[in-house]
Amino acid sequence: MMAIYPFKMEPFTDFSNKDNIKRYHEGLKVVESYLGSEYPLVIDGERIKTNQTIVSKNPSDHGEDIGIVHQASLKEAKIAMESALKAFETWSKTDAKMRADVLFKAASIVRKRKFEFSALMTKEAGKPYNEADADTAEAIDFMEYYARQMLEISDNKDKQVLSRRNLERNEYKMIPLGVGAVITPWNFPLAILTGMTTSAVVSGNTILLKPASTTQVIAHKLLEALEEAGLPKGVINLVPGSGSTVGEFMINHPKTRFISFTGSKEVGVHIYEQAAKVQKGQTWLKRVVTEMGGKDAIVVDEGYDVKQAAEILKASAFGFSGQKCSAASRAIILESMYDDVLEALKAEVQTIKLGNPEDETINMGPVNDENAFNKIKEYIGIGHDEGRLLVGGNADDAKGWFIEPTVFYDVDPKARIMQEEIFGPVLSITKVKTFDQALAVANDSEYGLTGAVLSNNREHLEKAKAVFHVGNLYLNRKCTGAIVGYQPFGGFDMSGTDSKAGGPEYLQLFMQGKTITEQF
Ligand code: NAP
Ligand code: MG
């Protein structure tokens, strides 16, 4: 077998290099060559057209159609389930090395077409160059990382149990679960989609994949890459459709063995409740992995560099228009720093150039769609009642779904804009007297995804490590941008089921251990 090098993160593209800007423009041209194409469902490797389609739109320019995507109804969802059940018979018994190989090859294919994949996210999701590039890099990382993890599990599990000489021989191996329902969000339309999909299939499962409604073209492009890499038909059945029909079918079906979901708390909780019900004919308890929202806080301690704090707050709150589960949406600032940080932050935020991110000088694009636009605008209205506006606040949907980076200050920790996930470019700031109070406010949330502490005080940093209850805690840096294999990612409490994507135990969520003892 070929040598497998240790995992190493995919480097980010340096956009200060003009050649890379040129390559990005070329990527955009490739995407433009297939704008408006039709994408039928993919079931058992067959392309199936239905009588219902949706048009995927460019959120920066609603006049531009990205693709026409066929939608599954219950009829096709049922066929997809049959296909996945049939493919499971062979795929679950396929050598782990072959399964891993599909991921290694697909990673190479995506890497070769990196600028095209990123450019497609600029068009379909409104991601600026650096954000889209990081998304594609993360997708590559997930495939490289999970492929290695699968090899490690298949090679080494046995070594973790003992046998008794002349008495018994013990084997311990991880086997796949069955057919999974994979339901993905739009905000990391390639990375999270790739991570959730390939983790499930490299561990030997087959799936029904329902991507988020607004980013279905990129899902097709990933599947094409996996097919080109040798993925057998029926392993991934791509059934875009609405959450309320296809989504419900997938989570409630008695033959669904597990559900892997990333999205909002509301939908995640609903899935968790539904999945708990044992359906007629169901002969197992469904396993549920749900990764949900966040209300992530950054604490700015006394004595920290003011400009640096402002830069970190800006990057954490407004990268990809604040549409990251890890985005900072609360800032908790010590009294003695408060006025200075506000002033510096206002100046920083005013440097953000909002617009269509196809232009490389734009560093913040639109929000996802009309629903997101309206919801965020509503929260800005609430913000005016609950705090004072520092900067931003305007919205314009004439051409695309644009909302200014917006900051409210003097907000009470119990206010709605300090408690509810807005999922847009809105940061709420509160003032505290002591560091202990800052941590108490930070922990005063039903969510527990990410958080950061900016401090020069070693004791305070140590205290935060012990007390700040989040799945991903960052010290003296931004609270977004976890890297596969380096910072296993996933939150506590209402942020999810405590799993860690890109972490050493992740694949085992989609497997079960079988112990075999033979006596001599
Ligand atoms: P969402 O509205 O909950 O949707 C997520 C997925 O669930 C979509 O594919 C959606 O389909 C589907 N869905 C909706 N209703 C359903 C139902 N009744 N049954 C089955 N599936 C259903 O979330 P989103 O707006 O796409 O994503 C943003 C959210 O994701 C934020 O809350 C963010 O914090 C969270 N997020 C969390 C993480 C993490 O790792 N913890 C990472 C990224 C994002 P439709 O698109 O067709 O509605
Ligand atoms: Mg949605």
Side-chain angles (χ1 to χ4, degrees), residues 23-188:
R23 292 169 79 194
Y24 209 98
H25 290 171
E26 284 160 10
L28 282 163
K29 285 224 177 65
V30 174
V31 174
E32 270 153 16
S33 73
Y34 54 69
L35 282 185
S37 298
E38 256 186 75
Y39 298 89
L41 311 181
V42 184
I43 301 176
D44 199 17
E46 303 288 325
R47 264 57 188 171
I48 298 176
K49 293 192 175 180
T50 65
N51 51 24
Q52 206 207 333
T53 56
I54 64 163
V55 178
S56 177
K57 300 254 175 211
N58 182 341
S60 303
D61 175 2
H62 359 104
E64 185 170 72
D65 297 348
I66 307 304
I68 298 158
V69 191
H70 288 260
Q71 304 297 294
S73 68
L74 288 183
K75 181 179 136 218
E76 291 85 12
K78 281 181 191 147
I79 304 172
M81 177 54 82
E82 291 308 316
S83 158
L85 286 165
K86 190 180 80 189
F88 183 72
E89 296 302 318
T90 46
W91 184 246
S92 60
K93 296 177 183 67
T94 300
D95 189 349
K97 290 189 181 70
M98 276 180 73
R99 299 197 308 247
D101 239 19
V102 173
L103 270 60
F104 285 129
K105 287 174 187 157
S108 300
I109 292 166
V110 174
R111 190 181 288 113
K112 271 195 185 149
R113 289 167 52 197
K114 199 174 196 178
F115 288 90
E116 176 202 338
F117 273 95
S118 299
L120 177 54
M121 283 188 276
T122 298
K123 288 268 193 194
E124 195 177 33
K127 289 211 172 198
Y129 290 21
N130 60 335
E131 299 282 347
D133 179 69
D135 196 316
T136 307
E138 190 177 355
I140 294 168
D141 284 348
F142 274 130
M143 291 191 275
E144 294 279 356
Y145 183 78
Y146 291 143
R148 285 173 174 77
Q149 193 168 110
M150 187 60 233
L151 294 177
E152 171 82 21
I153 288 172
S154 74
D155 287 350
N156 291 333
K157 263 292 155 199
D158 260 351
K159 296 179 190 144
Q160 297 177 6
V161 294
L162 302 175
S163 289
R164 288 185 284 180
R165 204 176 301 166
N166 299 331
L167 178 64
E168 68 184 16
R169 183 175 183 278
N170 294 320
E171 288 176 62
Y172 181 51
K173 54 184 182 182
M174 299 302 289
I175 63 168
L177 291 173
V179 173
V182 176
I183 302 176
T184 65
W186 50 265
N187 69 327
F188 283 89

Side-chain angles (χ1 to χ4, degrees), residues 382-402:
I382 297 168
H384 281 289
D385 294 336
E386 291 184 330
R388 295 168 202 253
L389 183 71
L390 180 72
V391 60
N394 297 309
D396 175 4
D397 61 355
K399 196 161 161 64
W401 312 115
F402 292 102

Side-chain angles (χ1 to χ4, degrees), residues 185-186 212-214 264 267 368-369 371:
W186 50 265
S213 292
T214 52
S264 62
V267 177
N368 182 46
D369 64 358
N371 287 338

